[in-house]
Amino acid sequence: MTTVYGLKNCDTCKKATKWLDCFGVAHTFVDYRDAKPTPETLVEWAGKLGGFEAIVNKSSTTWRQLPDNRKAAASDAEWKLLLREYPQLIRRPLVVTDDGEISQGFSDNGFKKRFGID
């Protein structure tokens, strides 16, 4: 089973789940705001995706509105606290498959490659 993490009102998340439906890929959707990722999950994602800075959407309105001292998270603990408080900062959609592979974002070609569809 594939799990898609994101925000239910996010257009990119909607496109990704619609794509999965169209190609018959079984999946569940988890809204970050309704089910905030645990600190352990955030550490796992960051480890597989290249660190906390790699999973944060720095072009988001939420990021731009944060005070500079919050943007300068210097430790894993600060990143975990920030992302638990503002889960919408996580790039979306974040897709986790049963094999433990994690990816972020959506594109038709990227998903075709990821899910082995020609």
Side-chain angles (χ1 to χ4, degrees):
M1 176 72 66
T2 296
T3 305
V4 179
Y5 295 88
L7 300 175
K8 57 187 157 212
N9 62 344
C10 170
D11 289 338
T12 307
C13 292
K14 290 176 187 177
K15 289 176 189 174
T17 56
K18 185 176 180 179
W19 188 99
L20 293 168
D21 288 338
C22 286
F23 285 95
V25 178
H27 65 281
T28 57
F29 181 81
V30 177
D31 189 301
Y32 292 137
R33 289 184 179 141
D34 297 337
K36 293 182 180 182
T38 65
E40 296 78 19
T41 299
L42 292 170
V43 169
E44 178 187 354
W45 291 349
K48 291 187 176 184
L49 293 169
F52 282 103
E53 292 210 27
I55 66 172
V56 172
N57 178 4
K58 292 186 177 180
S59 63
S60 72
T61 303
T62 304
W63 178 261
R64 290 191 306 267
Q65 292 175 347
L66 286 174
D68 288 340
N69 64 329
R70 294 300 305 272
K71 293 178 186 178
S75 68
D76 285 0
E78 290 176 359
W79 279 114
K80 289 186 286 189
L81 185 63
L82 181 67
L83 294 175
R84 294 267 303 152
E85 186 176 348
Y86 300 101
Q88 64 271 28
L89 287 173
I90 302 169
R91 288 182 197 265
R92 49 193 188 268
L94 188 139
V95 180
V96 181
T97 47
D98 282 342
D99 61 4
E101 187 177 336
I102 300 173
S103 64
Q104 287 181 291
F106 169 74
S107 73
D108 180 62
N109 288 335
F111 266 41
K112 282 180 179 174
K113 183 177 178 182
R114 172 101 195 264
F115 293 101
I117 295 171
D118 293 324

